Amino acid sequence: DSGVTQTPKHLITATGQRVTLRCSPRSGDLSVYWYQQSLDQGLQFLIHYYNGEERAKGNILERFSAQQFPDLHSELNLSSLELGDSALYFCASSPRTSGETQYFGPGTRLLVL
Amino acid sequence: AQTVTQSQPEMSVQEAETVTLSCTYDTSESNYYLFWYKQPPSRQMILVIRQEAYKQQNATENRFSVNFQKAAKSFSLKISDSQLGDTAMYFCAFMKLHSGGSNYKLTFGKGTLLTVNP
């Protein structure tokens, strides 16, 4: 157990809908990273938050957004869902920002029908 | 941009034997970290080992060790005394270090599926 929690574990929804994925980092970790794992794209970085502030964006669609709250949990919001958004979404946390090991949560498996 | 290449999509090994997984990367950076993560059928991403580029000594964690060749940009993972529980997808990952920057994302290879046979 990495100490990172993600809810829900599974999510099935329809095209056009909006979902929210939640992540709680390890105790004391200030950084949260979101990654998407799909069959065609592999594991890709989406976005990084540090202590409530957005620090970097990767290949994140405009339909996707995220935030990190004062208690340091983070949410990834996916809207206007398309079939191609079906994937495993991971969050990872680390103590600060610089060159530290990222510990991954169990992931949320999203299926868009 | 950095790229990570794992040239072996699948490998298999007999229980108790040794296997080596290959990884090469492309970067112009001199300051970075390299990682191996495993993803068993549960889909959890689990850290196996980490190597700092400034360290010449290869990292070791129990049965897992790496062969880090900085000049060749090669970072292979050796698993000794393979166990059935080692069956998983293994991902090589690169993290660029910045001085004052803020993006410490991981860049992953496409993975090697390792099967340990009894």
Side-chain angles (χ1 to χ4, degrees):
Chain A
D1 186 357
S2 66
V4 180
T5 61
Q6 288 187 250
T7 57
K9 289 185 180 178
H10 303 276
L11 201 47
I12 302 175
T13 188
T15 55
Q17 295 298 304
R18 172 189 170 94
V19 297
T20 297
L21 313 183
R22 182 187 170 106
C23 168
S24 292
R26 296 186 317 161
S27 177
D29 284 0
L30 300 178
S31 268
V32 170
Y33 299 79
W34 286 96
Y35 294 86
Q36 178 194 59
Q37 184 178 30
S38 62
L39 284 175
D40 53 345
Q41 298 291 329
L43 271 157
Q44 290 203 91
F45 166 73
L46 295 178
I47 198 164
H48 170 211
Y49 274 83
Y50 172 73
N51 203 20
E53 294 184 4
E54 179 186 305
R55 285 300 185 95
K57 277 187 174 181
N59 298 321
I60 187 166
L61 300 171
E62 286 190 9
R63 300 183 285 107
F64 295 2
S65 65
Q67 54 184 325
Q68 187 180 26
F69 294 87
D71 67 353
L72 301 176
H73 91 272
S74 177
E75 293 181 356
L76 180 66
N77 300 296
L78 316 177
S79 62
S80 302
L81 285 167
E82 301 176 0
L83 298 178
D85 297 328
S86 296
L88 186 54
Y89 291 86
F90 286 106
C91 80
S93 76
S94 68
R96 291 170 298 276
T97 58
S98 55
E100 297 154 334
T101 298
Q102 295 175 23
Y103 293 92
F104 282 73
T108 293
R109 185 183 295 274
L110 173 66
L111 179 59
V112 182
L113 299 175
Chain B
Q2 287 71 37
T3 58
V4 177
T5 302
Q6 295 180 248
S7 59
Q8 307 148 315
E10 294 187 39
M11 294 188 72
S12 64
V13 64
Q14 292 300 121
E15 198 174 5
E17 292 187 349
T18 296
V19 64
T20 299
L21 281 57
S22 301
C23 172
T24 59
Y25 57 95
D26 186 21
T27 185
S28 59
E29 302 291 328
S30 58
N31 207 9
Y32 52 87
Y33 288 178
L34 295 163
F35 302 84
W36 280 97
Y37 282 87
K38 67 181 278 190
Q39 187 177 40
S42 67
R43 309 291 285 200
Q44 172 81 50
M45 291 289 288
I46 302 166
L47 174 71
V48 175
I49 201 163
R50 154 179 155 158
Q51 175 77 45
E52 293 86 346
Y54 63 85
K55 289 186 179 179
Q56 293 188 342
Q57 186 172 5
N58 290 323
T60 299
E61 287 288 342
N62 301 312
R63 298 182 295 107
F64 299 88
S65 62
V66 298
N67 184 4
F68 173 49
Q69 301 290 329
K70 190 172 184 178
K73 295 180 184 175
S74 171
F75 182 61
S76 61
L77 175 70
K78 185 171 83 170
I79 306 173
S80 304
D81 186 26
S82 296
Q83 300 176 0
L84 296 178
D86 295 333
T87 292
M89 182 74 84
Y90 286 80
F91 292 96
C92 178
F94 175 99
M95 177 191 290
K96 182 171 68 171
L97 298 184
H98 300 250
S99 54
S102 58
N103 189 357
Y104 298 95
K105 69 173 184 178
L106 289 165
T107 300
F108 288 90
K110 294 196 177 296
T112 296
L113 179 60
L114 176 67
T115 301
V116 180
N117 299 308

